[in-house]
Amino acid sequence: MTIDLTEVLPITLYLALIILVVVLIVLAVRLIKTLNKVDRVLDDVNSKMVKVDGLFDIIDKVTDYAASVSDKIVSSVTNAIHFVMGKKKKGRGKNE
């Protein structure tokens, strides 16, 4: 009784192929389950971001309004200082 390599090798390859296919099917099923969980998490985060987006819009508008008010105040103070300093220089030049 001799074992011929041409008979054993195909059987070994078929067994390895069957094991590989089973492992790939298990991995694919696990990947699908994981992707479903990730999809649910992303939907949850997206719905929460929509709720918080209105708050961020309000904060942005308030910040823009405060910046424009402070710019107007600084501009007014700067113009007043230039106006006062300009009159003092002119007054000194005439008296001397």
Side-chain angles (χ1 to χ4, degrees):
M1 240 198 217
T2 61
I3 300 175
D4 194 13
L5 191 59
T6 58
E7 294 173 4
V8 174
L9 190 59
I11 294 172
T12 309
L13 288 175
Y14 288 136
L15 285 175
L17 183 63
I18 290 170
I19 292 171
L20 180 65
V21 167
V22 169
V23 168
L24 288 176
I25 289 171
V26 169
L27 287 176
V29 168
R30 287 188 180 187
L31 181 66
I32 289 171
K33 287 180 181 178
T34 303
L35 286 176
N36 286 337
K37 289 178 184 178
V38 169
D39 191 37
R40 278 185 264 146
V41 169
L42 286 176
D43 287 341
D44 186 43
V45 169
N46 191 22
S47 67
K48 288 181 181 179
M49 284 300 296
V50 168
K51 292 177 184 176
V52 177
D53 195 31
L55 177 67
F56 285 133
D57 286 340
I58 291 171
I59 290 172
D60 188 40
K61 288 178 183 179
V62 168
T63 305
D64 290 343
Y65 179 74
S68 68
V69 168
S70 67
D71 287 345
K72 289 178 183 178
I73 290 172
V74 168
S75 176
S76 299
V77 169
T78 305
N79 288 338
I81 290 173
H82 281 292
F83 182 73
V84 169
M85 294 301 237
K87 285 195 171 201
K88 284 185 179 180
K89 286 182 181 178
K90 289 180 183 176
R92 286 184 185 171
K94 291 180 182 177
N95 290 337
E96 290 181 359

